[in-house]
Amino acid sequence: MDLGPQIKSVPLSLGRPTRQLLQTGALIGFWWLIQSLVNALHLPLPGSMVGLVLLWVMLDRGVLPLHWLEHGADGLLKHLMLFFVPAMLALVDHPEMLSLLGVKLFVTVLACTLIVMAGTACVVELGFRLCHGSVR
Amino acid sequence: MAPFAKALFWCVCTLAVYLAARRLHRACGRWWSSPLLVTWTACGLLIVLLRASYHEYLAGTHWLVWLLGPATIAFAIPIHRHRAMIRQHWLLLSVGVVVGSLLAIATSWAFASFFELSPELRASLLPRSITTPLAMDASRLLGGVPELTAVFTALTGLFGAAVGETLLHVLPVRSYFARGALFGMGAHGAGVAKATELGQEEGVIASLIMIFSGQFTILLVALTTLL
């Protein structure tokens, strides 16, 4: 029985979870590096924003191939909401939100969201019709 | 319980609730079954019922919040994937992003002034229309409370995704572009999921509008802090 080719192909055929884990690790490392740089240089921008633009440029210029990172990135983005739920639970430390203040904030969020959605959609629709003559 | 055991408990608890909520959402798919809403309310109730403190909770789950940075960087991948769409429609995308972001900031400002909210709360409200990790960064730059911004932003997303379709019936909006922009600008992450249900193109426009409006708002905020 010849096991040669199978053994040789092992490093190339990492399972999807392993690849995803490695790529996620690479993204974390990249973010950490950028964040340290931003801190050291006292840039007035968050490190995540600087890293996003840098990674975008590197992908666009072909410095980094998309398949090196895409599984890790898709995984992180898929679970994005899990990452900010702990921050949202800080609400248990803000009992003042259960008063009139909370109602004011609630009304503000709902009303502003409606205005933003309607306003943006109408302006973009107008622009689309100007650019394309008709719809679709 | 030892602090370490407590931390481990909250970590396992959050992950378990989240995984169960995802399963529930896949089965019924309504806005109220959103894993975000379910995980948030379930863990919140548990903290209150067990008389735990937020400090204890965060000890076990802080590493999740820490992953927001790498996740934000990961937005570079969808931008790169849809570069053809961006090149084709850069003008209209820019119009949507600039108009939507300014409108979001201006309306939050106006309501905060009308209700005479504290400067801290106003700063926490301003970036609530963009994707949560960037909104929290913007809030930090503005002197707001990032945790409260996360709450306002999530409310925005949940509400926007829930009423978006009704709004589309009322408004004279027919193009896939405007429908995508409505969800991406108004309801960020939750809106992108909703827009993708309407169609592939709507979903792509929504995600691009969401990412670019986040970047635009951050740049705007960083500029104002420099002045």
Side-chain angles (χ1 to χ4, degrees):
Chain A
M1 203 167 68
D2 180 22
L3 283 172
Q6 280 165 327
I7 290 169
K8 260 181 222 156
S9 70
V10 164
L12 290 174
S13 60
L14 288 171
R16 202 190 148 86
T18 322
R19 205 168 23 176
Q20 196 161 20
L21 215 62
L22 279 177
Q23 294 187 357
T24 309
L27 281 165
I28 294 172
F30 181 67
W31 168 77
W32 180 81
L33 198 75
I34 299 290
Q35 187 65 58
S36 318
L37 264 176
V38 164
N39 290 345
L41 298 173
H42 299 290
L43 290 181
L45 281 170
S48 50
M49 169 76 181
V50 177
L52 162 55
V53 174
L54 270 178
L55 187 58
W56 174 16
V57 170
M58 285 201 289
L59 286 167
D60 222 42
R61 294 271 162 261
V63 181
L64 275 176
L66 183 62
H67 69 266
W68 277 16
L69 292 172
E70 63 180 338
H71 295 298
D74 289 345
L76 278 171
L77 291 177
K78 193 166 110 186
H79 300 294
L80 184 60
M81 64 180 78
L82 174 64
F83 307 149
F84 55 75
V85 161
M88 286 169 63
L89 283 165
L91 207 60
V92 299
D93 271 358
H94 290 271
E96 78 272 16
M97 292 297 158
L98 285 175
S99 64
L100 180 65
L101 180 65
V103 178
K104 284 178 178 176
L105 288 164
F106 196 71
V107 169
T108 302
V109 169
L110 299 202
C112 293
T113 302
L114 283 179
I115 299 172
V116 170
M117 290 179 106
T120 310
C122 288
V123 170
V124 171
E125 176 77 8
L126 194 68
F128 192 86
R129 290 189 189 177
L130 285 176
C131 289
H132 299 268
S134 63
V135 178
R136 256 185 215 265
Chain B
M1 255 196 289
F4 177 75
K6 272 185 186 167
L8 191 67
F9 169 77
W10 287 117
C11 174
V12 171
C13 179
T14 305
L15 292 178
V17 171
Y18 171 72
L19 289 177
R22 271 180 72 90
R23 204 164 266 197
L24 173 76
H25 190 58
R26 233 174 293 147
C28 79
R30 308 293 289 273
W31 69 267
W32 50 260
S33 72
S34 141
L36 170 64
L37 189 63
V38 173
T39 315
W40 182 36
T41 43
C43 290
L45 273 176
L46 214 57
I47 293 175
V48 174
L49 289 178
L50 294 179
R51 292 162 195 264
S53 74
Y54 179 58
H55 183 78
E56 282 167 9
Y57 176 80
L58 206 58
T61 54
H62 192 260
W63 64 278
L64 287 170
V65 184
W66 182 79
L67 281 174
L68 280 173
T72 312
I73 286 184
F75 277 129
I77 274 78
I79 298 182
H80 180 70
R81 252 183 218 145
H82 301 301
R83 57 195 182 281
M85 181 77 109
I86 297 172
R87 219 164 283 149
Q88 196 186 347
H89 296 295
W90 64 270
L91 184 61
L92 206 46
L93 279 171
S94 317
V95 169
V97 164
V98 173
V99 169
S101 307
L102 293 180
L103 198 57
I105 295 170
T107 49
S108 298
W109 183 281
F111 271 79
S113 304
F114 176 75
F115 285 133
E116 295 172 339
L117 301 177
S118 68
E120 207 181 33
L121 274 178
R122 190 206 313 246
S124 310
L125 270 172
L126 289 189
R128 45 144 264 290
S129 274
I130 60 176
T131 181
T132 311
L134 288 171
M136 290 174 75
D137 280 336
S139 172
R140 202 170 290 122
L141 286 175
L142 283 167
V145 185
E147 288 77 17
L148 288 181
T149 301
V151 174
F152 302 146
T153 309
L155 266 184
T156 300
L158 289 168
F159 177 68
V163 299
E165 264 179 296
T166 316
L167 215 53
L168 280 178
H169 283 301
V170 182
L171 295 171
V173 168
R174 299 289 167 265
S175 67
Y176 72 92
F177 214 104
R179 292 154 73 92
L182 176 137
F183 277 111
M185 191 63 236
H188 50 96
V192 172
K194 203 76 202 165
T196 310
E197 283 174 24
L198 296 181
Q200 199 63 43
E201 285 169 314
E202 280 89 343
V204 172
I205 296 299
S207 73
L208 290 177
I209 292 265
M210 170 186 81
I211 301 169
F212 289 136
S213 62
Q215 292 182 295
F216 179 74
T217 303
I218 288 267
L219 280 182
L220 215 61
V221 166
L223 277 178
T224 53
T225 52
L226 280 183
L227 295 178

